[in-house]
Amino acid sequence: MGEGESRQKLGSAPGVTVRQKNPDNFEYPFSTLEDFLTDEERVFVRSHFEVPELDPARWRVDVGGAVERPYGIRASELTRLPSRTVTALLECAGNGRVYLDPPIVGVRWELGGVSCAEWTGVPLSALLERAGVKGGAVEVLLVGADRGTLKYPEPTTPGEIPFARSLPLEKAMSPEVLVAWAMNGRELRKEHGRPLRVIVPGWYGMASVKWLGHIAVLDRPYRGYFQTFMYAGWDRRLEAPDLVQVGELEVKSQIARPSTREVIPAGSDYRIFGAAWTGEADVTRVEVSVDGGLTWSDGALLGPQVRYAWRLWEKHWTVPRQPGMRVLMSRATDSRGRVQPMTRDPDRGDSMVSHVLPIEVEIRG
Ligand SMILES: Nc1nc2c(c(=O)[nH]1)N[C@H]1C(S)=C(S)[C@@H](COP(=O)(O)O)O[C@H]1N2
Ligand SMILES: [Mo]
């Protein structure tokens, strides 16, 4: 290990926007989308606290709680267990926040709080099975080594706390959920959680705990800061609003090109290009509108469909001859019949921005 230090500093790759430093929040330049896998120098970074200084050679993860045989395992030993590689998109639940009105406090992500990469690791289920999950267990708590306090949102953190999230036992035992040490075939960068991080394909990014230090099987639901005061919303399907955690990804598409305020030559042929994704399902359709949502037609889905990854898509557009402003939109549908909504659901607070976003461009003669 230690390979990471010789590589290009994250946040300095062309096009990457440094939204914040310490804690690091770097945005992927979504308008440069081309390849199915995001190159590792440009995968977005989203952290709540400063990167913890860990020694990968000595780091160990403890597995405990409601298990028969609690144990600790060194990262160096864990990386020799039978591994799997899973392609998965990560989207921050705050991606697209800049489009919210009224504006929110918090990191102002545009379209680049999302990336798609190949992750190599050991299934979390294998680590849990080795410990022997006790009957009556319901969740698995994953705790990172980073710690700090937050002044926003209110109420503030109860003093200094670690970043921690729980997963329902069923998802934690699902074979695609990994404790990973590599991204796109290379050792994780420290900003992405070196030496070990969780990857929860199909869920918003906050579930994929970085710098993993503790795994605890729980016999009751966990209600920590990052799944109640942050990353939660209101569900109104009952007689009274119910606080629900952000979990599975919503169906969503984004236009990479053109980008907002791009100038497009009148009468030209333009290739509208973007990506679409969803949670525990597959993207089945992307529709495109070049007239602000009045009319829609199907875009072409590109490449093979890979569960938990994004699907690239394109639409050829014969640009009108009249100059002026135009609003472009894309709308995805998934195999569970979920369709990207046209309007924002205010019960989602400042996260899960999945509604159709308008991209305004200028046609110039
Ligand atoms: N320990 C720890 N894990 C974390 C976070 C964090 O701040 N600390 N941020 C989460 C959030 S909100 C997201 S979107 C993803 C981002 O992963 P990345 O920085 O590798 O892109 O990490 C998640 N895991
Ligand atoms: Mo996030």
Side-chain angles (χ1 to χ4, degrees):
M1 297 203 179
E3 174 199 6
E5 308 314 335
S6 60
R7 286 137 83 183
Q8 187 183 15
K9 249 192 147 112
L10 290 189
S12 63
V16 169
T17 305
V18 175
R19 298 233 166 266
Q20 211 182 340
K21 202 57 203 138
N22 302 326
D24 292 346
N25 285 285
F26 305 156
E27 181 156 349
Y28 164 64
F30 192 71
S31 65
T32 66
L33 176 71
E34 204 57 72
D35 300 327
F36 178 63
L37 294 182
T38 310
D39 71 76
E40 60 126 21
E41 242 99 60
R42 298 188 304 159
V43 168
F44 81 98
V45 174
R46 200 293 180 245
S47 298
H48 297 77
F49 306 129
E50 279 189 39
V51 174
E53 286 303 328
L54 308 179
D55 177 359
R58 303 173 60 96
W59 188 247
R60 53 172 245 175
V61 177
D62 290 311
V63 185
V67 296
E68 306 290 349
R69 298 169 298 278
Y71 66 96
I73 181 169
R74 279 191 193 267
S76 52
E77 187 189 336
L78 195 145
T79 53
R80 289 197 301 269
L81 296 176
S83 68
R84 267 197 78 176
T85 295
V86 170
T87 305
L89 156 136
L90 279 191
E91 182 189 15
C92 180
N95 186 35
R97 257 185 201 155
V98 83
Y99 291 89
L100 296 183
D101 184 25
I104 43 80
V105 196
V107 185
R108 310 235 334 129
W109 300 103
E110 293 179 21
L111 298 176
V114 63
S115 301
C116 186
E118 259 177 19
W119 309 92
T120 302
V122 53
L124 175 59
S125 61
L127 299 180
L128 293 172
E129 275 157 15
R130 177 163 163 177
V133 173
K134 284 190 175 164
V138 292
E139 289 193 354
V140 177
L141 177 62
L142 306 162
V143 187
D146 52 332
R147 305 177 66 87
T149 57
L150 289 180
K151 294 193 202 72
Y152 164 88
E154 302 237 320
T156 56
T157 52
E160 193 182 275
I161 60 166
F163 185 85
R165 287 274 312 190
S166 71
L167 271 183
L169 185 62
E170 198 195 347
K171 181 67 178 174
M173 294 301 283
S174 216
E176 71 279 4
V177 176
L178 301 182
V179 173
W181 55 82
M183 177 207 284
N184 292 347
R186 304 186 71 181
E187 183 192 12
L188 283 177
R189 308 285 289 242
K190 67 176 197 294
E191 292 86 345
H192 291 298
R194 189 172 74 220
L196 296 171
R197 75 168 307 166
V198 182
I199 289 292
V200 185
W203 280 47
Y204 281 100
M206 77 280 125
S208 295
V209 174
K210 303 192 277 189
W211 310 293
L212 182 68
H214 290 271
I215 300 172
V217 177
L218 307 182
D219 54 14
R220 64 183 174 92
Y222 176 71
R223 298 198 203 85
Y225 189 81
F226 294 99
Q227 55 200 70
T228 49
F229 299 133
M230 265 183 117
Y231 304 116
W234 296 106
D235 178 350
R236 285 182 202 270
R237 285 173 301 178
L238 300 179
E239 283 67 23
D242 187 15
L243 187 71
V244 284
Q245 297 167 26
V246 175
E248 191 191 344
L249 285 160
E250 295 287 324
V251 63
K252 180 169 178 179
S253 63
Q254 286 188 170
I255 298 175
R257 289 186 295 281
S259 52
T260 297
R261 279 183 280 285
E262 188 170 318
V263 174
I264 300 178
S268 62
D269 281 318
Y270 193 99
R271 177 183 182 244
I272 304 170
F273 180 64
W277 56 90
T278 185
E280 310 278 355
D282 299 312
V283 170
T284 50
R285 185 180 193 191
V286 173
E287 299 162 278
V288 178
S289 172
V290 292
D291 56 12
L294 290 175
T295 61
W296 296 83
S297 59
D298 280 359
L301 301 178
L302 306 172
Q305 169 234 292
V306 179
R307 177 61 62 97
Y308 301 125
W310 58 24
R311 189 87 189 257
L312 304 181
W313 57 266
E314 66 179 10
K315 173 81 191 170
H316 288 278
W317 179 31
T318 306
V319 181
R321 299 199 169 278
Q322 321 85 283
M325 303 305 285
R326 279 268 178 159
V327 173
L328 274 49
M329 294 175 173
S330 67
R331 180 169 70 190
T333 301
D334 75 13
S335 53
R336 289 199 343 240
R338 303 193 300 174
V339 183
Q340 223 182 316
M342 290 300 293
T343 53
R344 172 71 183 163
D345 173 358
D347 282 334
R348 291 183 182 180
D350 64 0
S351 58
M352 302 170 85
V353 183
S354 75
H355 63 289
V356 169
L357 300 177
I359 302 293
E360 195 178 32
V361 298
E362 185 185 345
I363 299 176
R364 223 179 261 174

